[in-house]
Each structure stands twice: as structure tokens, then as C-alpha cells.
Amino acid sequence: QSALTQPASVSGSPGQSITISCTGTSSDFGTYNLVSWYQHNLGKAPKLMIYEVNKRPSWVSARFSGSKSGYTASLTISGLQAEDEAHYYCCSYAGSVIFGGGTKLTVL
Amino acid sequence: QLQLQESGPGLVKPSETLSLICGVSGDSFTRRAYYWGWIRQPPGKGLEWIGSIDSSATYYSNPSLKSRVTMTIDTSKHQFSLHLRSVTAADTAHYYCARITIYGVAHDAFDVWGQGTMVTVSS
């Protein structure tokens, strides 16, 4: 099972919106909607941002949203802020856990 | 507030066994509502799920690592462990433990993470 496919990098200016895609196959996503997204800064613990495709934990800003269409999941960050700069990873469960390769978000 | 803390040797020799412990503080450890997992990140690479264990000591592993992974849990000590056999330089990574919410019997989200510990495989 290979990693889910994410763009290596995305960038945006403060206040803009960006979307990070996460593409897999039918075997990566199965019939579950168990897609989650994590924010990771080097030297820190990864942080859950989205679960079950589009649900937000209580500690996550409403600027973060998730969606899924077919075998592509997406994370959208609106009103980009400097503090959003980090690596983002998608994750899916379909009998086994698989992560995406990660996307470096740069806030210009 | 739930906290997880990884501990173990920072240096392991090739062909030996890498053993890590994750200590859990908080009252959710014995509840059946969670799995407890290990994830790693090799330098310059992405996250990789290693495996997960439940409170009854049943564990699930990444198919690519399954032959080398054993996991144990000690509910009385509020800790769970990872044992990775026959390590090579490719096993050099930051190792994280995490709590995993469950959807039915499926892995849902990794909602609480430890800070991670770096393990280097070298002679």
C-alpha cells in the first residue's frame, strides 16, 4: 500500500484560501469516510485538524474545513494566517491506516 | 488532560530490537473506546503508521512491518509498548505514540499525540 498522494507544497498570502488535495484508490478509502488531517510542525506533536472527512475537533478554528469526492479528499484553509504555516498530512482507514506523503504550506 | 510520553533508547544497533514505551496519564486508558498506536517519521519523510493495540491486548500492524512488530499493553502501569525486531538504518526515525478514536471497530482519528522520541539505528 503506497502513501496517499499529496502535493509536496502549496503557498498562499495572508487572508487567502488554499486547498490541499489527497488522492488515493478505492482500496485506500474503501467504503469508510474515515479521512483525517494533521498539522505538523518540526519538533512538535502532530495535531488533529479534521476527522471523518469534514468534522472539526473543538480546538480547531472554523477556518479549517474538509471534504471528499470520489477518491480525493481535500483540506481547505480560509483566511490564511502566518501561524498556519506547517506540514499537513491526510490519513485514511480502509482495513489499515495509511498516511499521505505530506504537504508543506508556506504563508507568503 | 490526557498526556502521552514516549521513552526508550535513542540509539539501537542494526539487527537488534527497538523497544519503546508510551506512558499514558489520564482516565481513558482502560476504556474500550480507544486504540493506542505508534507512528514514525523518518528524517525528511512523511508519517507512517506502525501499529495499534486495544485494551484487551489485540494489536494491528502495518502490513509492511507486520513480521517485525510486536505490541504489548500494561493497563496497571498505564503504558503500552512497541518492539520492532531486526532493525536497519531504514528504521531510523522519530517515533510517536498516540490515542486513536474508534468508529465501530475501525481506526478513526489520532486525537492525542506524544511529543515523539528520535531513534537512530547505527553501530
Side-chain angles (χ1 to χ4, degrees):
Chain A
Q1 215 176 11
S2 301
L4 299 168
T5 301
Q6 297 182 233
S9 63
V10 298
S11 62
S13 300
Q16 288 185 331
S17 293
I18 63 95
T19 296
I20 299 172
S21 61
C22 170
T23 302
T25 65
S26 58
S27 61
D28 294 329
F29 290 108
T31 57
Y32 299 95
N33 278 318
L34 296 176
V35 177
S36 50
W37 288 89
Y38 302 86
Q39 179 189 69
H40 190 205
N41 287 294
L42 286 176
K44 294 189 176 181
K47 178 182 176 184
L48 174 66
M49 305 303 286
I50 294 287
Y51 67 102
E52 293 175 20
V53 175
N54 56 15
K55 296 180 180 177
R56 249 187 345 265
S58 59
W59 55 82
V60 175
S61 166
R63 298 186 297 106
F64 291 80
S65 62
S67 63
K68 179 172 170 280
S69 178
Y71 302 128
T72 297
S74 299
L75 172 71
T76 298
I77 308 173
S78 59
L80 210 56
Q81 298 179 1
E83 66 198 45
D84 299 331
E85 188 162 291
H87 284 86
Y88 290 85
Y89 294 89
C90 61
C91 177
S92 175
Y93 176 84
S96 184
V97 176
I98 183 169
F99 282 95
T103 298
K104 167 65 176 171
L105 169 62
T106 300
V107 180
L108 302 169
Chain B
Q1 183 178 354
L2 187 75
Q3 290 188 321
L4 285 73
Q5 180 66 59
E6 305 86 352
S7 61
L11 181 65
V12 181
K13 290 182 167 56
S15 80
E16 294 189 344
T17 296
L18 180 164
S19 293
L20 296 173
I21 292 172
C22 181
V24 180
S25 61
D27 64 2
S28 62
F29 192 62
T30 56
R31 290 172 58 186
R32 292 177 175 270
Y34 303 103
Y35 294 134
W36 304 90
W38 290 96
I39 306 93
R40 69 181 183 181
Q41 183 179 33
K45 296 187 178 182
L47 300 173
E48 179 183 34
W49 173 67
I50 300 170
S52 310
I53 191 166
D54 64 22
S55 57
S56 64
T58 300
Y59 67 90
Y60 315 87
S61 347
N62 188 320
S64 68
L65 298 169
K66 189 172 185 177
S67 63
R68 298 195 291 133
V69 167
T70 301
M71 296 181 67
T72 60
I73 190 167
D74 188 332
T75 54
S76 66
K77 292 184 178 179
H78 279 226
Q79 64 185 37
F80 61 101
S81 302
L82 168 69
H83 306 281
L84 181 64
R85 296 179 292 280
S86 305
V87 297
T88 69
D91 296 308
T92 293
H94 270 99
Y95 285 76
Y96 298 92
C97 60
R99 186 180 77 171
I100 307 160
T101 58
I102 300 174
Y103 187 92
V105 295
H107 289 57
D108 193 346
F110 297 74
D111 68 339
V112 183
W113 294 66
Q115 288 295 314
T117 187
M118 181 66 195
V119 179
T120 300
V121 178
S122 175
S123 55

